[in-house]
Amino acid sequence: MPLMRHLLLIPVVLSALTLGAHLLRGGQILLALAAAALPLLLVPRHAAASRLLQGLLLLGALEWVRTLAGIVDQRRAFGQPWHRLVLILGSVALVTALSVMPAPRRLCCSQ
């Protein structure tokens, strides 16, 4: 059973790291470090830490959607292809949003 717990947390870690990389590319070093460290919120094994992680990952998913909309607008304005971009960044946003699901107390917190 502990192996299953760890496997379900892989999307949380990957979402945090990709969000950190995105923020680092934007020059926001402190936010990038904070985003990459998000999975550490699972260490305290408290419901409040889990809820905070869920909220921050949801904000991360919204950031991906915001970024997607901005880049699509730019590409459309210049007549460049944008459909593949929607698939890729849309998938990243979806995985980040769905990674919120494994964080509840049943996976990370003692009861």
Side-chain angles (χ1 to χ4, degrees):
M1 185 68 172
L3 177 64
M4 187 62 167
R5 250 185 255 187
H6 291 83
L7 289 176
L8 288 173
L9 294 177
I10 289 174
V12 173
V13 174
L14 291 177
S15 294
L17 292 176
T18 55
L19 187 60
H22 169 68
L23 293 168
L24 186 61
R25 186 175 187 279
Q28 300 171 336
I29 296 172
L30 293 178
L31 284 177
L33 290 172
L38 281 178
L40 294 176
L41 286 171
L42 295 172
V43 173
R45 300 180 71 101
H46 291 289
S50 176
R51 297 293 178 224
L52 178 61
L53 175 63
Q54 287 176 316
L56 292 172
L57 284 172
L58 215 48
L59 283 175
L62 292 174
E63 169 60 20
W64 284 117
V65 171
R66 185 189 70 79
T67 300
L68 170 63
I71 297 174
V72 166
D73 284 345
Q74 285 179 345
R75 286 186 169 247
R76 289 176 93 183
F78 289 111
Q80 296 175 330
W82 51 271
H83 297 92
R84 190 171 23 174
L85 170 77
V86 170
L87 288 174
I88 295 169
L89 281 184
S91 297
V92 172
L94 183 63
V95 168
T96 302
L98 292 177
S99 70
V100 168
M101 294 174 66
R105 290 194 302 174
R106 64 180 169 74
L107 289 177
C108 70
C109 306
S110 58
Q111 294 184 6

